[in-house]
Amino acid sequence: MKTDEIRSNFLSFFEKKGHTIVKSASIVPKSDPTLLFVNAGMVPFKNVFLGLENLNFKRATSCQKCLRVSGKHNDLESVGRTTRHHTFFEMLGNFSFGDYFKKEAISYAWEFVTDVLKLPKEKLYVSVHQKDDEAFDIWENHIKIPESKIWRLGDEDNFWQMGDTGPCGYSSEIYIDRGEKYSFDERYLEIWNLVFMQFNKDESGNISLLAKPSIDTGMGLERVASILQNKDSNFEIDIIMPTINFVEELSHKRYGQDEDISIAMRVIADHARACTFAISEGVLPSNEGRGYVIRRILRRAVRFGYKIDIKEEFLYKTVDVVVDIMKNAYPELSLNKDFIKSLIKSEEKRFLDTLENATSLFEDYIKNVSSQNISGEFIFKAYDTFGFPLDILQEMAHERKMSLDMDKFYKLLEKQKEDSKKHFKGSKAIDAVYLNLSDKATSDFVGYVKTSEQAKVLYLLKDGNIVNELKEGEEGEIILDKTPFYPEKGGQIGDTGVIENPKALFVVNDTKSPTDNLILHIGKLIRGTLKVNDEVIAFIDKERREDIKRHHTATHLLHAGLRNMFGNSVRQAGSYVGDEFLRFDFTFYRALTKDEIEALEAVINQEIMKNEEVFIEELPYQEAIKTGAMAIFEEKYKDMVRVISSGDFSKELCGGTHVSRTGDIGYFKILSESSTGAGIRRIIAKAGKPAVRHAFEESELLKAISQTLSVNSQDMLDKLQNILEDLKEKDQEINKLKSKIAKLEIDSKLQKDVVKDINIYYGILEEATLETLRDIADSIRQKPKSIVFLASKSPKTSILLAKSKDLPYNMPSLIKEIAKPIKGSGGGREDLAQGGAQDLSAFMSSIKVLKESL
């Protein structure tokens, strides 16, 4: 039975039993901050089981996407080394929310396994908790399982709990006997776990009965498929094996050829699926949180590819295979495929250079040590100097059965942190001041409805210290009991303005919030004296605030416009909201075309002209999410949140300040669209008065250019293109002349030495591009047993190293060593490497290193 058929049969079976089919949730948990990823089928229903959320049905069934990198038997390093564990997998499940209980759950499971999957009853076994006589009785007397086939197990195997406190209960598992040729764990394979949530555990560990017992079940789709398809391993089933076959083609090796090759291919196939699904849902490789996990998974796959001699970007190619296999069940993958491939390829490219250096460093180290313990000094050097990822180092050590002195490593890392703090002596003390004040004072923000407010000075700070007064000319920070000043947060810049009374005038240049309940007014006292407990009036710069509000609401419209055009894989990845412009970073796999930018701009201006009310309401977080409001990925929200709605076009959670109607924005203009990194695009735009001013300045500039070129605006582009063509031709002529001069110069500059029958040609040219250096080197290395090392002073300091085809040396590795005396570096392919240098005065020292390296 094919995997798609198993999935479909499961859902339709339980639908006939009165269950509502629930589409798989995202692998990014929407309501559980304790989890990085959805790691079980019940996670999307967790709040229902806890009684925090109600559904309009009491029975559900789903096939849930899961991603698991930790837990019992499932550390990332184990994936691929076993035949059953995965990072990404699908979990079939049926759930009862206070409706049916043990008898129905057991009956449904048995019926599905024996009547639908047609698994032979004589090969099936079950387990129950040793105290669960009720479940034992149902299996024995209702299902008619012989007592000898019912195993009574303890808490470790058959007691489940959601957390340290809360719902918990006994469980019952179904196993299949795969035959005597397998070891015990592989022979009696668990295929389905039925959890009977009937208790509640309090903080003291006391257990009481739940008023409404519930059911949570989980059946691993891949594991069941391996049984029905008669495969020894989950990795050999119809939705994973094609990826392994593809890796076989790439590596020119065969699965099963030996265990190391099989492990590598299982790792790659599993991790390709995990990366494809995670990135499709907006989890981008990064150095923290969910992104760090995906980066680890991606890099682990690349390293195992490297181990089977795939030493170029390859993982991105597996995305086509994964999407083709999974697109019927998850059609959204096809929409995001190009983005996923682009992002994975760029990650691979960056990591491969690190991996090559790290592998060489590790191999050189273990050749020269007799101990099976890798020193903390080496770990620190590899990590700090060469960027060697710790998880990769740990796995490489594990493969060699070596241990790592991590205690020493962490001591060295801590010492480095302490040393770096010496350069920033004041920061720790200032932070302590804010933390101390946070326990004593609270600044109430009234700026959503007011632009000025009477207030009292609670605290004054100067140079990071609490003071009783500020004098004329002194810079400092003011904390008020209430304020209309919005502090910088959520991408929106802080307000400016003045704080004054008859005796003092303080100009606020910026507003920040070091803790949740403190607002700092940062600026300079330009008149009088200001003391603690003084009564003041705080005025924000209203005109500037209005400009900020226009840009902030425009940012929401921009976000919604992008998602409407390109789908939900577009997610905010950062923003800046100021008075002069906005900057919006978002996930997307390619540059926007000119037509797309124009269309996006038009859509936003259309929404502005509709002049919809910008409706603001405060709701509990969970309720706000239910209304469809968009939460920004990984941003922290309080229990009560503000929901900003612009008609039916945009709805987001946001604590910033906004216009009352979209028409208040006036005009929106996109200035630029660019890349900030792999899979992240950036739009810079203006709204309101700054946008109008920009349009006017552009118009004036075009007039000036038109006058300078002595053509009308319609012919201006043609005129400029003609000028550029002329300049291009002249540049080509100049470069040809420079190349000829360089080739003539080489006869007098080039030197030759012979080392170990190898001809070494070297020299420094006054002016030559890298292209010219390559041409010269190509002509010289036609000679047998030849190595060429050239440098050029202009147009920039460049170096190039090349060899004839009959020599075995690796040029990228060699250039890194010989470039050290001239403070240079480089890279390239095996026969030719190029780069730059800072100090060509030490060129002969590099030649000496070159000779010694042969």
Side-chain angles (χ1 to χ4, degrees):
M1 190 181 293
K2 290 189 175 181
T3 308
D4 284 348
E5 191 178 355
I6 300 169
R7 188 191 293 114
S8 175
N9 286 345
F10 184 90
L11 296 174
S12 62
F13 173 84
F14 280 100
E15 185 177 34
K16 290 171 185 174
K17 300 293 184 184
H19 293 65
T20 297
I21 296 177
V22 178
K23 183 183 176 183
S24 174
S26 166
I27 58 172
V28 179
K30 299 300 182 189
S31 58
D32 190 345
T34 67
L35 290 175
L36 284 175
F37 297 101
V38 169
N39 58 9
M42 60 76 60
V43 171
F45 303 111
K46 185 173 179 179
N47 284 343
V48 182
F49 286 124
L50 290 171
L52 302 174
E53 182 180 346
N54 292 314
L55 301 174
N56 57 8
F57 48 84
K58 292 187 175 182
R59 300 184 177 196
T61 184
S62 68
C63 180
Q64 175 61 44
K65 297 173 290 186
C66 300
L67 202 148
R68 186 181 295 172
V69 290
S70 62
K72 186 179 179 182
H73 309 309
N74 213 73
D75 290 324
L76 180 59
E77 290 74 16
S78 300
V79 176
R81 303 187 189 279
T82 72
T83 59
R84 300 288 164 208
H85 293 101
H86 305 279
T87 50
F88 176 84
F89 60 96
E90 295 176 80
M91 186 67 80
L92 300 166
N94 59 287
F95 310 91
S96 166
F97 312 116
D99 185 15
Y100 62 82
F101 201 45
K102 291 183 186 179
K103 186 174 181 179
E104 294 89 340
I106 290 172
S107 299
Y108 293 157
W110 188 253
E111 183 182 348
F112 181 77
V113 166
T114 57
D115 292 356
V116 180
L117 298 185
K118 306 292 186 186
L119 294 179
K121 295 179 182 179
E122 66 273 11
K123 291 187 177 182
L124 297 176
Y125 291 74
V126 299
S127 68
V128 297
H129 192 272
Q130 56 194 9
K131 296 179 181 178
D132 194 356
D133 294 333
E134 182 184 2
F136 187 96
D137 181 66
I138 295 168
W139 281 117
E140 183 182 33
N141 297 314
H142 180 68
I143 304 299
K144 306 300 182 185
I145 298 283
E147 182 179 354
S148 61
K149 287 191 168 187
I150 307 174
W151 303 331
R152 285 184 178 269
L153 303 176
D155 286 355
E156 184 177 350
D157 295 290
N158 282 89
F159 190 86
W160 182 93
Q161 54 190 52
M162 192 176 290
D164 294 334
T165 61
C168 55
Y170 302 136
S171 67
S172 179
E173 297 170 323
I174 302 176
Y175 298 79
I176 186 165
D177 180 1
R178 301 171 70 221
E180 294 180 357
K181 69 174 183 176
Y182 297 98
S183 64
F184 185 86
D185 286 345
E186 285 287 317
R187 175 176 176 176
Y188 297 100
L189 195 66
E190 175 204 331
I191 58 172
W192 204 343
N193 186 23
L194 316 175
V195 176
F196 311 129
M197 277 192 263
Q198 63 190 108
F199 307 119
N200 183 65
K201 182 188 278 191
D202 64 23
E203 293 178 355
S204 301
N206 299 317
I207 288 180
S208 58
L209 287 172
L210 286 173
K212 293 183 177 180
S214 297
I215 292 293
D216 158 30
T217 81
M219 176 190 283
L221 178 61
E222 293 82 0
R223 183 171 291 197
V224 175
S226 74
I227 300 298
L228 295 172
Q229 295 172 21
N230 196 27
K231 301 297 183 183
D232 290 333
S233 159
N234 290 9
F235 291 88
E236 296 168 24
I237 64 175
D238 58 335
I239 59 171
I240 301 180
M241 194 63 196
T243 308
I244 290 178
N245 295 148
F246 182 69
V247 177
E248 288 179 310
E249 293 176 19
L250 292 175
S251 64
H252 306 293
K253 291 179 172 56
R254 290 291 166 260
Y255 184 73
Q257 186 175 334
D258 67 41
E259 186 57 15
D260 285 343
I261 290 173
S262 296
I263 288 172
M265 290 184 178
R266 287 196 290 266
V267 168
I268 294 166
D270 173 272
H271 292 5
R273 282 159 43 95
C275 291
T276 298
F277 274 89
I279 294 171
S280 172
E281 297 191 5
V283 184
L284 308 183
S286 69
N287 287 329
E288 58 185 25
R290 298 182 180 98
Y292 175 66
V293 173
I294 298 307
R295 176 165 281 168
R296 279 189 68 193
I297 291 172
L298 192 155
R299 288 178 169 181
R300 186 168 186 259
V302 172
R303 190 179 82 82
F304 274 91
Y306 198 86
K307 288 183 69 174
I308 56 174
D309 296 327
I310 310 177
K311 297 186 176 179
E312 60 184 10
E313 298 94 349
F314 77 93
L315 190 65
Y316 78 97
K317 297 176 184 177
T318 65
V319 174
D320 289 322
V321 185
V322 173
V323 170
D324 190 55
I325 295 167
M326 306 298 287
K327 64 185 178 185
N328 290 335
Y330 305 103
E332 64 272 15
L333 288 177
S334 297
L335 299 174
N336 300 328
K337 186 173 74 170
D338 291 341
F339 169 56
I340 300 165
K341 290 177 68 176
S342 171
L343 187 58
I344 290 178
K345 185 176 182 181
S346 63
E347 277 285 315
E348 285 188 275
K349 186 177 179 64
R350 284 200 298 270
F351 180 58
L352 276 169
D353 288 340
T354 300
L355 182 60
E356 182 178 346
N357 294 334
T359 304
S360 299
L361 185 73
F362 181 76
E363 295 296 336
D364 289 344
Y365 174 79
I366 62 175
K367 282 178 189 174
N368 298 312
V369 293
S370 55
S371 169
Q372 285 297 102
N373 182 55
I374 298 174
S375 73
E377 288 82 2
F378 172 77
I379 303 169
F380 181 75
K381 178 183 177 184
Y383 173 80
D384 187 59
T385 306
F386 295 94
F388 203 147
L390 281 182
D391 53 301
I392 298 293
L393 178 59
Q394 288 167 333
E395 190 158 3
M396 290 170 73
H398 173 73
E399 290 167 357
R400 301 297 183 100
K401 295 182 170 55
M402 300 179 77
S403 59
L404 297 105
D405 186 355
M406 297 304 293
D407 288 341
K408 180 65 174 177
F409 164 75
Y410 287 119
K411 286 177 183 176
L412 291 170
L413 189 64
E414 191 60 33
K415 182 178 182 300
Q416 185 199 53
K417 289 179 180 177
E418 289 300 320
D419 290 344
S420 67
K421 285 179 182 177
K422 293 175 183 176
H423 299 289
F424 305 98
K425 292 180 181 178
S427 61
K428 190 173 182 181
I430 294 173
D431 289 343
V433 167
Y434 297 145
L435 291 172
N436 183 39
L437 290 176
S438 183
D439 293 333
K440 300 176 181 178
T442 295
S443 308
D444 291 331
F445 176 67
V446 298
Y448 289 134
V449 293
K450 295 183 177 181
T451 57
S452 64
E453 179 67 9
Q454 284 191 314
K456 184 170 79 171
V457 176
L458 296 180
Y459 290 96
L460 297 168
L461 292 96
K462 178 186 172 186
D463 298 327
N465 298 307
I466 299 173
V467 294
N468 289 321
E469 67 176 14
L470 286 177
K471 296 177 181 177
E472 188 171 308
E474 290 184 338
E475 294 181 350
E477 299 163 6
I478 300 175
I479 298 173
L480 303 175
D481 62 339
K482 49 189 174 178
T483 178
F485 283 77
Y486 185 86
E488 178 185 341
K489 59 182 175 180
Q492 180 173 325
I493 62 173
D495 280 329
T496 61
V498 296
I499 296 172
E500 65 176 338
N501 63 21
K503 298 178 181 178
L505 176 62
F506 184 88
V507 175
V508 180
N509 299 317
D510 198 2
T511 311
K512 294 186 182 294
S513 181
T515 67
D516 285 344
N517 59 324
L518 285 186
I519 296 176
L520 299 179
H521 306 81
I522 304 165
K524 185 175 183 178
L525 190 68
I526 62 171
R527 175 172 58 79
T529 300
L530 196 60
K531 296 181 179 181
V532 173
N533 293 324
D534 278 358
E535 296 290 332
V536 295
I537 302 178
F539 297 92
I540 67 167
D541 184 333
K542 290 192 290 185
E543 200 168 318
R544 182 175 179 271
R545 164 74 78 82
E546 289 301 315
D547 287 334
I548 294 170
K549 286 163 65 175
R550 293 184 186 102
H551 282 115
H552 206 152
T553 308
T555 302
H556 283 217
L557 298 182
L558 174 58
H559 193 185
L562 285 164
R563 288 170 70 90
N564 287 346
M565 286 181 70
F566 302 114
N568 291 341
S569 65
V570 173
R571 299 188 183 212
Q572 181 173 327
S575 69
Y576 168 87
V577 178
D579 56 327
E580 284 296 325
F581 70 96
L582 68 87
R583 182 180 68 233
F584 187 76
D585 295 345
F586 59 99
T587 60
F588 201 54
Y589 66 93
R590 61 167 174 82
L592 272 60
T593 66
K594 179 176 176 289
D595 289 344
E596 287 169 340
I597 292 172
E598 289 178 358
L600 179 62
E601 195 176 87
V603 165
I604 294 166
N605 278 308
Q606 185 177 15
E607 289 301 317
I608 291 170
M609 286 186 285
K610 286 181 182 178
N611 199 26
E612 297 273 13
E613 179 185 1
V614 177
F615 184 65
I616 300 172
E617 61 180 333
E618 197 165 282
L619 295 171
Y621 175 79
Q622 293 296 341
E623 188 177 332
I625 294 298
K626 286 181 190 176
T627 69
M630 193 176 359
I632 304 306
F633 183 59
E634 288 198 337
E635 189 160 311
K636 294 179 181 178
Y637 293 99
K638 296 180 179 179
D639 293 338
M640 295 295 292
V641 293
R642 297 174 81 239
V643 181
I644 315 297
S645 304
S646 302
D648 296 327
F649 189 71
S650 168
K651 181 180 279 192
E652 281 190 31
L653 307 187
C654 181
T657 59
H658 291 271
V659 297
S660 300
R661 307 191 73 89
T662 58
D664 295 342
I665 296 171
Y667 172 54
F668 177 83
K669 178 66 181 173
I670 294 176
L671 306 185
S672 67
E673 190 273 346
S674 60
S675 169
T676 66
I680 305 292
R681 308 297 303 178
R682 170 172 290 175
I683 284 177
I684 294 177
K686 292 194 174 193
K689 290 182 294 182
V692 173
R693 189 164 60 245
H694 178 81
F696 175 76
E697 289 169 354
E698 275 197 336
S699 174
E700 290 299 301
L701 179 61
L702 286 173
K703 286 179 185 176
I705 294 171
S706 176
Q707 291 171 0
T708 302
L709 296 175
S710 300
V711 293
N712 58 44
S713 57
Q714 288 78 15
D715 298 329
M716 191 162 52
L717 189 58
D718 289 338
K719 178 76 171 180
L720 283 171
Q721 286 175 335
N722 290 335
I723 292 171
L724 290 173
E725 284 296 323
D726 289 343
L727 288 173
K728 186 178 179 181
E729 288 176 9
K730 287 179 171 58
D731 282 342
Q732 288 173 344
E733 290 175 11
I734 292 168
N735 287 333
K736 285 178 182 177
L737 289 171
K738 286 181 178 180
S739 181
K740 286 180 181 179
I741 293 168
K743 288 174 182 177
L744 290 171
E745 184 187 8
I746 199 66
D747 291 335
S748 60
K749 298 285 187 181
L750 195 67
Q751 298 182 57
K752 175 187 174 185
D753 289 335
V754 179
V755 176
K756 297 180 182 178
D757 293 329
I758 298 173
N759 300 303
I760 301 175
Y761 298 90
Y762 57 93
I764 301 175
L765 303 180
E766 291 298 321
E767 186 166 356
T769 63
L770 272 171
E771 185 178 359
T772 299
L773 293 183
R774 281 195 296 270
D775 289 344
I776 294 169
D778 286 345
S779 65
I780 295 172
R781 66 190 177 120
Q782 300 303 315
K783 302 170 186 177
K785 291 190 175 182
S786 297
I787 288 181
V788 188
F789 185 47
L790 301 174
S792 172
K793 295 180 179 178
S794 179
K796 61 181 180 178
T797 309
S798 304
I799 57 174
L800 181 139
L801 181 68
K803 67 168 182 112
S804 56
K805 292 181 180 179
D806 55 353
L807 293 177
Y809 304 103
N810 181 283
M811 296 297 101
S813 298
L814 198 52
I815 200 171
K816 286 181 173 64
E817 293 302 315
I818 67 176
K820 286 178 182 177
I822 55 177
K823 298 179 182 177
S825 63
R829 58 180 193 262
E830 185 181 359
D831 64 329
L832 186 146
Q834 61 192 41
Q838 297 179 37
D839 182 16
L840 288 183
S841 65
F843 184 76
M844 291 310 296
S845 297
S846 290
I847 299 301
K848 182 181 178 183
V849 175
L850 172 59
K851 292 175 181 178
E852 291 171 350
S853 300
L854 300 178

